[in-house]
Amino acid sequence: MSEVTLSRFLSLCTRRLFPEPFSIEKALREVGFRYAIGVDEAGTGAFFGPIHAAAVLFDLSDLSNYFEVKESKQLTEKKREELFWKIIETVPRYAIAEVNVREIEAFRNVQRAGALARWRAVTQLVSSCDSHPTVLLIDHFPMKDSPFPVLAISHGDELVQCIAYASILAKVTRDWVVKAIAQLPDFACYGIDSNKGYRCKAHWNAIRRYGLSPLHRKHMPELERLLSGREV
């Protein structure tokens, strides 16, 4: 995105103050973008299992087929799953990517692992844009090595519909994956089907009793302190 285009876009956003859904997408269309890709990830805050990211392509030339959604954390599990199917039937293209626990452990940094998941999802959509002007919209964190100009927007999953779409796809996919893992005998004791690998009292107590499984992120400071007997 050129400096002039970015300046014009920010002016449009400031003037509108996002009064309605799709305001940002419409502003991007006005400054000449044909496509917008929203990207978000799920699982960076968990202590167990993979990170998933989703990228969703919006065709800005016609926004009439898209529908308003809330960010995934504001929805019930049932509603997220209903919207998952509706989203993939509505958008022109989407992509979902995973970074597994072995890769997360190699990074020893969940933010870097999350960035890799986002990059893997976004790069799957490059060919779909067919050289048309395209912008990548991401929640809060900038993205290095993006094939497109990037706008990192604080609370983007609440303000930008294509990011909200991506947040739902990523969250539902990760939930399905960890719930399937939870049915395996080696993992049933941790209550992953309900806690999804995040911190809660039952999960903490299970780790104290049974130790870490092969799919726990052993490098995380909270788990290291827990296993050493220090308070967390």
Side-chain angles (χ1 to χ4, degrees):
M1 182 184 292
S2 71
E3 196 170 310
V4 172
T5 302
L6 178 58
S7 175
R8 187 179 170 206
F9 170 71
L10 293 176
S11 174
L12 284 166
C13 290
T14 301
R15 187 168 70 249
R16 293 176 176 180
L17 295 177
F18 312 119
E20 59 183 18
F22 303 103
S23 289
I24 294 179
E25 288 89 346
K26 290 175 182 176
L28 288 164
R29 180 175 62 192
E30 289 186 26
V31 298
F33 287 104
R34 170 65 185 275
Y35 295 117
I37 296 175
V39 61
D40 202 11
E41 79 286 332
T44 54
F47 300 132
F48 175 96
I51 294 171
H52 286 84
V56 173
L57 180 71
F58 269 26
D59 185 344
L60 302 178
S61 65
D62 183 5
L63 294 169
S64 61
N65 291 327
Y66 302 107
F67 51 92
E68 180 184 0
V69 301
K70 295 181 180 179
E71 189 271 330
S72 63
K73 298 183 188 69
Q74 301 179 34
L75 302 168
T76 65
E77 184 173 355
K78 180 180 179 181
K79 186 63 176 178
R80 284 194 299 265
E81 291 182 354
E82 291 173 358
L83 287 171
F84 179 96
W85 299 111
K86 189 174 181 182
I87 288 168
I88 65 175
E89 291 171 358
T90 300
V91 299
R93 283 289 305 277
Y94 68 94
I96 298 171
E98 178 183 288
V99 171
N100 63 38
V101 173
R102 183 168 56 183
E103 293 173 306
I104 298 170
E105 290 290 279
F107 277 117
R108 298 186 66 83
N109 183 309
V110 292
Q111 298 305 332
R112 289 178 62 192
L116 176 60
R118 294 192 297 270
W119 183 87
R120 285 176 174 172
V122 169
T123 53
Q124 293 180 56
L125 299 183
V126 172
S127 62
S128 302
C129 300
D130 195 27
S131 301
H132 290 290
T134 303
V135 61
L136 177 64
L137 301 173
I138 191 167
D139 182 27
H140 188 66
F141 295 105
M143 181 173 171
K144 297 180 180 179
D145 303 320
S146 170
F148 308 108
V150 178
L151 280 176
I153 301 173
S154 182
H155 303 292
D157 51 0
E158 299 174 12
L159 294 171
V160 186
Q161 287 296 296
C162 59
I163 299 178
Y165 278 36
S167 77
I168 291 170
L169 297 192
K171 173 65 174 168
V172 171
T173 299
R174 185 179 186 278
D175 283 357
W176 284 342
V177 168
V178 296
K179 286 169 71 174
I181 294 171
Q183 305 309 309
L184 301 175
D186 289 346
F187 306 103
C189 61
Y190 296 100
I192 302 298
D193 55 340
S194 59
N195 63 51
K196 310 300 190 298
Y198 288 88
R199 177 174 178 169
C200 68
K201 185 176 181 180
H203 191 184
W204 235 229
N205 288 339
I207 292 172
R208 287 191 179 100
R209 181 173 181 180
Y210 301 108
L212 297 179
S213 76
L215 292 183
H216 279 95
R217 303 173 188 174
K218 300 173 181 62
H219 77 279
M220 298 189 75
E222 295 90 340
L223 293 181
E224 291 175 348
R225 290 196 295 269
L226 176 67
L227 293 177
S228 67
R230 290 174 286 165
E231 291 294 323
V232 295

